[in-house]
Structure formats: C-alpha cells, structure tokens
Amino acid sequence: MFQSVRKFVFIFSIYMATHFVYNSTRGALSGNRRAIILMIGYWAFWLASVHDILLALGVIRSTSLIFVGTFVASVGCLLVTADIFAETFKSNKTLLKEVEEANINLESRIKERTYDLFLTTQNLKTILDNLPQGVLVINEDFTIGAEHSKSALSIFEKKKIENLDFFEFVSEHISFDSNQKEQFTAVLSSCLGEHVINFEANRELLPYEWEINRNETIKYFRLGWAPILDENDSILRILLTVADITQLKRLERESQLNQSKSEVIASIIDGTFEKSKRFISKLRQKLNQYGQSDSDFFFQEEIKQIFRDLHSAKGNARLLRLNHLAQVCHQAETELASLVHLEKVKVETMEAILQEFVETLSSFEKALKEFDPSKKASPHSVGVLSSEQGRLFQYIKNCKVAVPIKADLTLNQLTKFRGLDQIISDLGSGLAELTEATGKPETELVYEANEAIFLSEEFSHDLNDMLLHLVRNSIDHGIEPMETRRLKNKSETGSIQLICEKRNDSLVIEFSDDGAGIDLTKIRKKAVKLKINGAEDMSPLEIASLIFQPNFSTAEKISDISGRGFGMNIVQNGLNRWKGTITWLDLSTEPNHAERIPFNIRIQFPFSGNVIVFDRARAAKGPQVVNH
C-alpha cells in the first residue's frame, strides 16, 4: 500500500516538476533573471523526482534525493520572493516619495490659487466699491445676490440689498402699473434657467431707463442687462447695471436749449421769428390733443395721425431752418414708422418715442419766450399789429371784399388770418436747403395771383402742410438732376408754379413743375408688387391717384425728405377735411394714354368762411419768384 501511494506521489511530483521546469525554462530563455533562478530550482527538483522514482522501481540503488531537490527549489522560490519583495519595497518607497512631493506641490499650488483667488476677490471688491455705476445680480429665485457694487447701495439708499426680493425692491423706487410689472416679471421668468436665446428674443421688452422721484427731485438712471451663463449657455443669473444719468440729462436739456436759442436768434435775424413762434405754438396744440382719452392705448388711426403730424412738422421745421427740431422729428418719425401698421400701441411706448420731441419742443418754447422781440417793447405799446395783420386791415379798409366776411368772426380770429402769398413765400424760402439736401439743381417757386387772398389760422396751417408736401414731392421725385435736364435741353434751374385765384365760390390752386412728371408705369408696377386689388386693370386716373394713398411710395430708399409714403397722403387728408377736390390737368381718360404725364394738378376748395378774397389787384401783378 505504501509503495503504491509512494509511486503515485512521485508520478504527480514529476508531472508538476515537469510543468514548472517547462514554464521557467521558457522564461529563462527570454532573459528573465527571476525565471533563471526558478529554472535551476525546478530542474533540481525534477531530477531528484526522477531519481527517486527509479529508486522506488528498483532500477537503481541509491539514496533518496527528493528532499535535496525540494530544498533547492524552495531556496530558488525564496530568492525570487525576496527579490520581488525588495523591488516592491523600493518601488513603494519611491512612490511614497513622489506622493510626498506631489502633496507638497499640491499644497503650494493650492496656496498660490488661494492667494490668486484672494487677490481676484479683493480686486473685484475694490472695483465694485469704486464703480460709479450700481451693479447687482438677480438670482434664479428673483432675489438679489451678494455680489453688488457699493454705488448700488447709495443709488437706492439702502444699507443692505442681498437676498431682497428684486421686484419688491424695485417697486419701492419705481412706479410700475400692473401691466408693466407683469411684463417685467414675465420677461425675467422666461430667461432665468433657460437658454440664452430667450434673453436675446425678449431683451427689448426690458426697461432701459428709470425715472425716480425722490423728495420731489427727479433722478434718471440708465439700465444695462446681461446674462450670466453656464457651460450649456443656460442663464444662471442676470447682471444689472444702473448708471445715474441725471447730470447727463441736465446737460442734454441745456444743449437742446442752447441749440434752440441759437436757432431762435437766427430766426430773429432773418425775420422768421413770428413764423417760428406760430409754428411752435401750433405744434404744442397738436401735442396736447394726443392721448386725451383715458385709454391705455393709441389706436391705429391716432398713430397714423401722429406720424403725419411729425412728417409735416419735419418739413416745416426745415423751411424755418429749425434744423435741430427737424432732426428730432425725423428720429421720432423713424421709430414710429414700424408701428403705423399695428392696431394699437401702449401709451407708454408712444410716450417713450415722443419724449425727445416733447423736450425739444419745450426748449424751443423757452427760447421763443426769452427772445420774443415783442416782450422787449415798452409796456405802454399795446395793440401793435404784425405787418401781415396790418396789411389785412388795410385791405378791409380800402378794398372791395370779393368773398363776404362771416359776421360771427371775432376780431381775435380775424387777426389770425394769414395771407396766401406769405404762406407761399415761406415755402419758397426753404427751397434752397431742400434742393441741396436732395442733390437737385436750384429751383424757383413761381407764384401768381390777381387777388389778395387771406386764410383762417386753421385752414392756412393745413394748406401750408399740403403745399409743403407737394413742393417736397416735386423736388424729390419730379425735378431732374442738372445733367439730365441738360440732356433734355431744359433750363438748368427747375421751376415749380402756383397759380391761385377765386373761381365762382371756390379757391382754386393750380400746381405744376417742369420735372420728369408722373411715371404711371412705375406706379402700376409698385401697386402690383403691393398686391393692390385690380392694379393691372386700373385706369390712368386710378393709377395716378394711388400716390395719395398711405404707405405708397415709389422711392427706392427712405430718406429724411421722402420715401415713407405719407407726404402725399397728408395732401389727401387735407382735401378730405376741407371738402376739396383734385384734378389732373394733363391726364386723359383714354386707356392708351401715355404712361408718363406732367405733374400738373388743380386743387379746389369751396369757400366756407375760412377765406377772404379782395378784388383789388395786388401791388405786384403777374408771376413772382418768391424764393429769391
């Protein structure tokens, strides 16, 4: 039994030894130092095992060597194990040193970063403490963040603002109605926590100027809004900057007043002061009519009327050389142009658009009051008439009245009648500036009337606007550039003609120019482009009449002279108001009529107590050039 077990153990031992010898020999052949040591031990163990098997089988007679082989193999394993341990120990020691060095470097870097962060924080704090603007941050829950400038505290007169509800905080200083607050809240709610595109789409709805009434002192602040984003371009918080522009506003008003004063002084020098005074007074009357209802909105027809009034005011201001006012009117008109198609616009929006116009008008009123020559007169000189009023009363005294003066006209109303020739003269005085602005040649305004015609204040104002836009239309669209006129063998000087007369019970004004005329083909193409119903089949009269429609213009670009399509519509509105008619004098009703006609029209108004005509021939008969 023992011999059998012994044989089995030897066979298993030799099998294992063979396996170890094979693997260690392969490792030794590859140059592995440890494999060589193991190979020697395993070979000794294998040889001892073979020796003892042969001894057990009685093949040889010898002493058992298995213990020697086992010892040699064990020593080899111990040597390799010791070598691995030594190497691991050395490696761990090196690694530990590296870790210690890394820790030292990390601590040093943390100290550097901490110091840098401290410096950055200190710099930011210093900047915030010394910024003249108020800076604060709105958190996602609409509270004010801890980061804010020192100026923000002084601007809002607070010792602490962090963690305050932003809307409650603002409401303490700004008067918001429910609609404004709702819009303000909705805009910020749609931005915070959302993609930055929401902010870009709604930023125009945010307020950019605040007016704060503090102890009966009004202060003005300009606002700036900027999103603070995360790595996905989502808005974490919103940065608000608040700058006190009260001083800037004061300087702007002083600048406006100084500009107004210089232009008013110029009007005194060139003799147009009374005209400027009358014009500014009429503008104030119109301004006072806006928004008289209790509605929170301006509706489309009101918006269009304000746009037309601004358009006319711009033209009249240019004629009177009130260039600053003309520029402000043009700016307001440009902003309003995008709103004329809307059904309604909030009162606050209209007030914002007209704010600079209102302020400029006020500065002109102050300047007119300060430099009014009539205020310099002796306090005993009462009842002095203007030259125009004196001329009217002279006609009443010495001339036969062709159109009876209404019995219910008061003396005050009568003194406000204006001579038509004076209105034409005012238009002529601004032609040079108009032709220069449009790059057109010098143009004469020729006026002819055999009667002395006086118009009521209201009618004269509307007729002045109508004639102004007809003149501007002729200059911009009719009168050709000088090179073109030379090629056509025309005079280098353009000509606009006005013939006024009493005809039966009407005032008739014939208006014409020697320009390129009305291009009916171009008007028809524009009408087709605008998809006006039946444009392709319209008669020449219908096509020509389109120029009086609102928003209709053949101009290729908008300028501060024309292009918005409202000037000629003002003419049409004036005709409607005073029951006037317009006739194209060179327009045939034939379908095959030429597609270009001269600009030659007759305007006719029935007498209704707004016109006084004298039969006596005027001192200067025949045509007069009124802009020379």
Side-chain angles (χ1 to χ4, degrees):
M1 178 70 179
F2 172 74
Q3 290 298 328
S4 298
V5 172
R6 185 181 180 195
K7 291 177 183 178
F8 173 77
V9 171
F10 284 155
I11 292 170
F12 177 76
S13 297
I14 198 168
Y15 167 77
M16 292 300 297
T18 303
H19 176 71
F20 291 149
V21 166
Y22 173 75
N23 286 318
S24 62
T25 302
R26 286 189 62 188
L29 292 175
S30 66
N32 189 312
R33 179 173 55 83
R34 292 169 183 162
I36 293 173
I37 296 172
L38 290 174
M39 181 188 72
I40 294 171
Y42 291 152
W43 269 107
F45 180 76
W46 185 82
L47 290 173
S49 298
V50 170
H51 175 271
D52 280 17
I53 289 173
L54 293 175
L55 182 63
L57 294 174
V59 176
I60 60 172
R61 290 179 177 274
S62 178
T63 304
S64 175
L65 297 177
I66 191 65
F67 296 107
V68 176
T70 303
F71 175 76
V72 173
S74 298
V75 170
C77 289
L78 287 172
L79 288 172
V80 170
T81 302
D83 185 61
I84 292 173
F85 176 79
E87 186 177 343
T88 302
F89 178 79
K90 185 178 179 182
S91 175
N92 287 344
K93 190 174 180 180
T94 303
L95 181 61
L96 181 61
K97 187 177 180 180
E98 290 176 355
V99 169
E100 287 176 352
E101 290 177 355
N103 285 338
I104 292 170
N105 291 335
L106 183 60
E107 288 175 5
S108 175
R109 192 169 298 177
I110 289 172
K111 286 180 181 179
E112 288 177 7
R113 294 289 174 85
T114 303
Y115 183 68
D116 289 343
L117 183 60
F118 171 76
L119 286 180
T120 302
T121 304
Q122 285 298 106
N123 290 339
L124 183 59
K125 184 177 183 302
T126 303
I127 291 170
L128 289 174
D129 286 347
N130 291 279
L131 268 179
Q133 295 91 357
V135 178
L136 55 89
V137 174
I138 305 169
N139 296 323
E140 195 169 353
D141 60 355
F142 301 114
T143 59
I144 298 174
E147 306 89 346
H148 57 77
S149 67
K150 198 172 183 179
S151 296
L153 299 177
S154 59
I155 285 173
F156 294 106
E157 297 181 347
K158 290 278 189 182
K159 293 183 178 180
K160 181 182 177 182
I161 61 175
E162 56 263 30
N163 298 324
L164 294 180
D165 182 272
F166 176 71
F167 295 110
E168 291 181 4
F169 168 73
V170 169
S171 298
E172 292 179 17
H173 304 276
I174 311 296
S175 297
F176 279 122
D177 61 34
S178 58
N179 291 332
Q180 288 175 316
K181 186 173 181 180
E182 184 179 340
Q183 176 177 295
F184 194 17
T185 308
V187 172
L188 291 183
S189 298
S190 67
C191 296
L192 284 166
E194 302 295 332
H195 194 273
V196 69
I197 194 171
N198 289 346
F199 180 82
E200 297 299 333
N202 293 289
R203 69 186 310 159
E204 292 183 2
L205 299 176
L206 292 167
Y208 284 88
E209 191 169 299
W210 276 344
E211 179 181 311
I212 298 178
N213 192 336
R214 197 174 282 162
N215 300 324
E216 298 184 356
T217 300
I218 296 177
K219 304 204 78 175
Y220 297 93
F221 297 94
R222 180 173 293 142
L223 310 180
W225 304 88
I228 300 174
L229 309 177
D230 64 11
E231 65 276 7
N232 298 317
D233 286 341
S234 294
I235 300 176
L236 295 173
R237 298 189 290 177
I238 290 180
L239 181 73
L240 171 62
T241 59
V242 185
D244 189 338
I245 57 170
T246 306
Q247 183 71 3
L248 180 61
K249 282 281 187 180
R250 185 182 66 79
L251 293 174
E252 284 179 354
R253 283 194 294 270
E254 287 180 1
S255 174
Q256 284 180 350
L257 184 57
N258 289 335
Q259 282 184 291
S260 303
K261 284 180 178 180
S262 65
E263 292 182 0
V264 166
I265 291 171
S267 73
I268 295 174
I269 295 171
D270 63 21
T272 60
F273 180 85
E274 287 299 325
K275 300 171 191 174
S276 300
K277 185 177 177 181
R278 188 165 51 240
F279 167 62
I280 295 296
S281 175
K282 194 68 181 178
L283 272 186
R284 173 58 67 182
Q285 291 176 23
K286 283 189 173 292
L287 188 62
N288 291 340
Q289 292 171 4
Y290 300 155
Q292 289 187 343
S293 69
D294 295 330
S295 173
D296 293 331
F297 297 93
F298 279 90
F299 293 94
Q300 190 176 61
E301 195 50 48
E302 293 175 297
I303 300 168
K304 287 183 177 180
Q305 184 58 52
I306 294 172
F307 186 90
R308 286 190 286 262
D309 289 342
L310 284 172
H311 195 64
S312 295
K314 177 179 69 175
N316 282 304
R318 282 191 178 279
L319 287 176
L320 292 169
R321 296 183 176 86
L322 304 179
N323 296 322
H324 177 55
L325 181 59
Q327 183 182 359
V328 171
C329 287
H330 179 66
Q331 290 172 351
E333 180 188 26
T334 301
E335 291 185 47
L336 200 57
S338 60
L339 305 179
V340 293
H341 302 295
L342 302 179
E343 291 185 7
K344 61 183 181 180
V345 173
K346 284 188 175 182
V347 169
E348 295 83 1
T349 303
M350 292 295 290
E351 287 176 346
I353 291 174
L354 296 175
Q355 182 178 356
E356 188 175 358
F357 169 70
V358 172
E359 291 174 356
T360 304
L361 186 62
S362 297
S363 70
F364 269 96
E365 288 173 328
K366 289 179 183 177
L368 287 166
K369 186 176 181 180
E370 181 177 346
F371 294 103
D372 191 345
S374 65
K375 304 295 182 183
K376 313 294 182 184
S378 166
H380 303 292
S381 56
V382 181
V384 178
L385 298 175
S386 70
S387 59
E388 195 169 351
Q389 292 166 350
R391 191 160 59 91
L392 171 60
F393 287 127
Q394 192 65 32
Y395 273 114
I396 293 174
K397 179 179 178 182
N398 299 325
C399 308
K400 179 182 176 183
V401 181
V403 178
I405 300 174
K406 289 179 69 176
D408 59 352
L409 276 177
T410 65
L411 179 63
N412 184 53
Q413 290 172 322
L414 198 58
T415 57
K416 292 180 181 178
F417 270 64
R418 294 185 67 199
L420 181 55
D421 56 350
Q422 187 60 50
I423 294 173
I424 305 299
S425 177
D426 292 347
L427 289 172
S429 65
L431 270 186
E433 186 178 351
L434 194 58
T435 53
E436 183 180 351
T438 54
K440 298 299 178 70
E442 182 182 347
T443 300
E444 297 177 339
L445 180 59
V446 182
Y447 170 58
E448 183 177 353
N450 290 326
E451 292 94 357
I453 303 170
F454 289 83
L455 312 174
S456 70
E457 180 185 26
E458 200 170 4
F459 184 40
S460 66
H461 177 80
D462 284 354
L463 184 60
N464 175 81
D465 285 352
M466 294 168 66
L467 295 177
L468 166 69
H469 291 293
L470 286 171
V471 168
R472 287 161 68 93
N473 182 76
S474 288
I475 295 293
D476 203 34
H477 295 284
I479 303 298
E480 309 96 326
M482 189 175 293
E483 296 76 11
T484 305
R485 293 180 69 83
R486 286 173 182 164
L487 291 174
K488 292 182 178 179
N489 294 321
K490 289 185 177 182
S491 167
E492 291 185 1
T493 302
S495 177
I496 297 173
Q497 292 186 327
L498 275 164
I499 301 174
C500 304
E501 63 178 344
K502 166 189 170 294
R503 188 176 299 174
N504 298 324
D505 294 327
S506 300
L507 171 64
V508 175
I509 301 173
E510 292 189 1
F511 184 99
S512 63
D513 65 54
D514 70 341
I518 300 292
D519 189 342
L520 298 181
T521 301
K522 190 174 183 180
I523 296 173
R524 190 186 299 275
K525 286 181 180 177
K526 181 72 174 189
V528 171
K529 184 178 179 181
L530 294 175
K531 298 181 180 178
I532 294 177
N533 232 359
E536 295 181 350
D537 302 318
M538 283 184 178
S539 67
L541 176 60
E542 291 172 321
I543 288 294
S545 299
L546 287 176
I547 67 171
F548 296 102
Q549 297 302 308
N551 303 315
F552 191 94
S553 175
T554 57
E556 295 181 0
K557 61 180 182 179
I558 295 174
S559 70
D560 60 349
I561 303 297
S562 65
R564 299 190 189 278
F566 269 86
M568 299 300 279
N569 182 240
I570 291 172
V571 176
Q572 185 63 57
N573 286 343
L575 290 169
N576 296 341
R577 182 178 183 188
W578 298 100
K579 298 181 174 57
T581 58
I582 190 166
T583 305
W584 293 89
L585 299 180
D586 292 299
L587 183 63
S588 169
T589 56
E590 298 295 326
N592 59 352
H593 180 75
E595 287 297 301
R596 185 181 287 276
I597 60 170
F599 192 80
N600 188 3
I601 59 174
R602 179 189 298 128
I603 299 174
Q604 193 163 337
F605 295 100
F607 290 138
S608 57
N610 293 297
V611 182
I612 302 174
V613 182
F614 297 93
D615 274 342
R616 176 174 289 186
R618 297 173 55 205
K621 294 183 179 180
Q624 299 179 74
V625 178
V626 298
N627 57 317
H628 281 230

